[in-house]
Amino acid sequence: MKAIWRLTRRKADMISLANGDPHFTLYPIRKLEFEVASVEDGVLDPVSSWRGAGASAPSQSFTTTTHSGTLPLKAAMQYSAGAGLPDTQRVVTDLTNFYHSPPDHVVTLTLGNGDGVSKCFRLLGEPGDHFLTDEFSFSSLTNAPLSHGINWVPVKIDNGGLVPEELERILSNWNEEQQGRRPHVLYTVPCGQNPTGCTLSVERRRKIYALAQRFDFIIIEDDPYYYLQYDADGNEGETFKFMPSFLSIDVDGRVMRVDSLSKVMAPGMRLGWITSSALFHDHLVTLVDSSTHHPHAFGQVFLTEMLSSSGWNISGFDRWVRSLRKEYQRRRDYFLRTFYQEVSRTGLASANAPEAGMFVWMKVHIDKHPRYRSDVQHTNGSKAKTNVEELMEELFERILDGGVVVMPASIFVAPSDLNKFDSDDPIQDRLNFLRLTFAGQEETMQPALARLAQVLKEFFADTK
Ligand code: PMP
Ligand code: PLP
């Protein structure tokens, strides 16, 4: 049906009796008005001006009507193709070129990275296949392909994120007769990984890409925190250099980069895009055409206006994200200072400063607990040698009772057949981490961390 529908555009005077397209005069809407933060040249730090000045903060406005605007409603509100409206696809392509300059890549619009990544999984995996990911990974997405028969292979991490040598070890020892087809997909979050907050160094990115070439796997780069990269040297906005993405080093078309507006505009936008080779793009469009269909017109109109001269333009978007980056860096620094004062001081937990994203991966020094044991024989089939899992469950409950919600490491364990992959060093012995976010209200950080420290002290004093 979609293929025939596209034939409407074959000749200028083609008359369509093909599709049930509601006529635009029947849309009960004729105007959209947007008022957004000003990113004009004179506004030095647009995020702090926007936040600080409340209703009187400088703003910019643009209007789209049935027949006027960058993307008039007459066209925008009609059914369109799975890749998105051509004008929206064009501004997003310009944006991708600005940050990543990939050779020969095409963009496909999505409903955010949850949608984009799960579409890539759907496209690339067959029942019984294995995909690779960090041993702690974003579970909303690692859960997504389980229903179509994908298994996960967890890759060990350190403070710098996924360890390339571990990836190499898994792939070179893979036995296709016993384990099935060698994994051909890596799912990775290169900046401010969720939940560990790790950012892959340029060197690791290059090593992982070289392994992808050697073992012929595809890299799904889920990068919602790309613009939230922080700077150890305190460089200010304009001069800060963003890390090269996997997409920017891709020469084979083996990277599918997945971008989202959730963290730089608003999660409710439900808008993002995949940048991939033309081959993958064609298949993605077929998948979109038979599942979610193109994203809603409101978002596409907004984004097209925003990235055109009527709105922020790409230069204004760049000013906004650089300013946003600084704002999150300030929150991170405040959170960490408070963490060191309240929590580290107890000697019962510690954390590294994340170089990107929204998360701090707090390590609980669980071996200091009086009831910690390292010689446990589990009767439930677990190969764990310690009681870390049980102690962390108890700690989680106590933190809740103490009035704070945190995310325990256990919920991020990549779902896999544990017996196959980590029987010597089971992940159950390494669950002594909690994910904390500094994205929220600054006023609540100090009381939350003080409560957390108090719970830790009481829990570690408990011998019963
Ligand atoms: N189901 C049927 C029977 C239809 O005729 C159509 C529209 N042609 C759809 C679903 C698609 O509807 P929507 O635009 O809400 O995705
Ligand atoms: N991928 C990762 C790694 C995330 O952390 C998140 C958000 O929490 C998402 C995807 C979901 O993003 P979106 O809102 O664009 O669907």
Side-chain angles (χ1 to χ4, degrees):
M1 282 182 70
K2 295 273 178 171
I4 293 174
W5 172 76
R6 284 185 196 107
L7 298 176
T8 315
R9 279 181 258 152
R10 181 180 268 187
K11 282 203 298 182
D13 66 344
M14 194 74 100
I15 301 171
S16 173
L17 299 179
N19 218 40
D21 294 348
H23 197 257
F24 73 91
T25 52
L26 301 177
Y27 308 154
I29 178 166
R30 66 176 169 217
K31 186 158 113 181
L32 291 179
E33 259 180 22
F34 296 99
E35 184 179 347
V36 302
S38 173
V39 291
E40 309 268 287
D41 265 340
V43 182
L44 283 178
D45 198 354
V47 173
S48 67
S49 308
W50 184 243
R51 260 168 53 78
S56 62
S59 67
Q60 289 174 239
S61 301
F62 42 87
T63 304
T64 303
T65 70
T66 306
H67 297 287
S68 75
T70 311
L71 185 46
L73 299 180
K74 176 184 172 197
M77 289 285 171
Q78 191 49 272
Y79 280 115
S80 67
L85 290 155
D87 292 286
T88 318
Q89 225 193 338
R90 179 181 46 74
V91 293
V92 169
T93 302
D94 291 346
L95 190 72
T96 297
N97 288 339
F98 183 82
Y99 289 103
H100 309 284
S101 348
D104 304 327
H105 281 69
V106 185
V107 305
T108 314
L109 265 76
T110 66
L111 313 178
N113 280 22
D115 177 49
V117 173
S118 55
K119 289 232 165 72
C120 295
F121 290 162
R122 187 81 218 183
L123 185 69
L124 299 173
E126 289 174 15
D129 279 349
H130 287 86
F131 289 178
L132 301 149
T133 194
D134 303 50
E135 57 185 349
F136 293 108
S137 191
F138 182 52
S139 33
S140 307
L141 280 168
T142 50
N143 279 338
L146 298 181
S147 60
H148 47 106
I150 305 301
N151 306 298
W152 286 98
V153 186
V155 185
K156 289 240 168 76
I157 57 169
D158 62 14
N159 287 341
L162 188 133
V163 180
E165 291 70 24
E166 287 291 328
L167 194 56
E168 181 175 15
R169 190 181 57 81
I170 291 168
L171 291 163
S172 44
N173 293 337
W174 194 267
N175 182 332
E176 293 211 326
E177 264 169 37
Q178 283 170 15
Q179 295 171 285
R181 176 149 81 128
R182 195 174 62 204
H184 66 289
V185 173
L186 168 70
Y187 166 58
T188 176
V189 180
C191 294
Q193 199 258 8
N194 189 350
T196 63
C198 290
T199 299
L200 290 171
S201 66
V202 181
E203 191 196 354
R204 280 201 183 181
R205 289 173 196 226
R206 293 201 187 285
K207 278 189 181 164
I208 293 169
Y209 191 79
L211 289 170
Q213 291 184 305
R214 181 169 145 211
F215 292 101
D216 196 15
F217 61 83
I218 292 155
I219 297 173
I220 301 177
E221 173 174 53
D222 177 11
D223 208 359
Y225 308 105
Y226 173 77
Y227 299 104
L228 307 185
Q229 296 181 30
Y230 311 125
D231 187 1
D233 308 327
N235 275 342
E236 290 297 308
E238 302 297 317
T239 55
F240 181 80
K241 267 191 138 61
F242 289 107
M243 284 253 191
S245 59
F246 278 108
L247 179 69
S248 71
I249 57 179
D250 186 23
V251 286
D252 302 335
R254 63 174 68 254
V255 173
M256 301 183 83
R257 179 179 166 82
V258 195
D259 273 290
S260 173
L261 293 180
S262 288
K263 314 294 178 181
V264 291
M265 288 193 184
M269 293 279 302
R270 305 316 310 140
L271 213 56
W273 59 93
I274 298 167
T275 312
S276 71
S277 72
L279 173 74
F280 290 156
H281 166 78
D282 289 347
H283 287 277
L284 278 168
V285 169
T286 307
L287 179 56
V288 173
D289 275 344
S290 52
S291 57
T292 52
H293 304 266
H294 56 82
H296 47 96
F298 294 115
Q300 296 200 66
V301 167
F302 173 75
L303 187 58
T304 310
E305 295 281 3
M306 272 305 246
L307 295 180
S308 304
S309 52
S310 52
W312 282 356
N313 234 326
I314 290 177
S315 55
F317 177 89
D318 191 57
R319 270 203 293 282
W320 178 262
V321 292
R322 284 174 184 279
S323 173
L324 191 65
R325 186 191 76 74
K326 280 200 329 205
E327 167 66 25
Y328 273 101
Q329 179 157 338
R330 205 179 50 68
R331 277 166 197 251
R332 177 201 68 165
D333 293 345
Y334 175 76
F335 185 90
L336 285 174
R337 270 200 308 280
T338 316
F339 183 90
Y340 297 144
Q341 273 162 17
E342 298 286 345
V343 181
S344 302
R345 220 179 243 181
T346 64
L348 304 172
S350 57
N352 295 323
E355 289 163 47
M358 300 180 162
F359 303 115
V360 168
W361 191 232
M362 164 177 142
K363 180 174 188 176
V364 180
H365 300 163
I366 199 75
D367 52 343
K368 293 190 177 172
H369 195 279
R371 285 187 280 119
Y372 169 79
R373 285 177 50 205
S374 58
D375 55 355
V376 184
Q377 301 261 324
H378 286 86
T379 51
N380 62 357
S382 164
K383 299 243 167 49
K385 302 174 197 94
T386 67
N387 60 344
V388 168
E389 186 169 19
E390 293 83 349
L391 287 174
M392 287 303 292
E393 273 173 27
E394 210 182 309
L395 176 60
F396 175 75
E397 291 296 333
R398 291 207 187 195
I399 295 171
L400 267 188
D401 291 343
V404 185
V405 190
V406 295
M407 290 285 184
S410 57
I411 63 167
F412 297 106
V413 172
S416 75
D417 182 348
L418 294 173
N419 294 329
K420 252 196 229 162
F421 297 109
D422 61 356
S423 52
D424 294 339
D425 187 13
I427 199 155
Q428 275 63 27
D429 290 334
R430 286 174 279 127
L431 294 180
N432 51 317
F433 293 88
L434 300 172
R435 192 194 80 177
L436 315 176
T437 183
F438 52 88
Q441 286 276 41
E442 253 172 88
E443 302 77 65
T444 60
M445 290 178 188
Q446 197 281 332
L449 292 169
R451 287 181 194 181
L452 193 57
Q454 185 58 29
V455 172
L456 279 171
K457 280 189 263 183
E458 288 167 14
F459 178 59
F460 275 78
D462 183 356
T463 51
K464 72 163 176 12

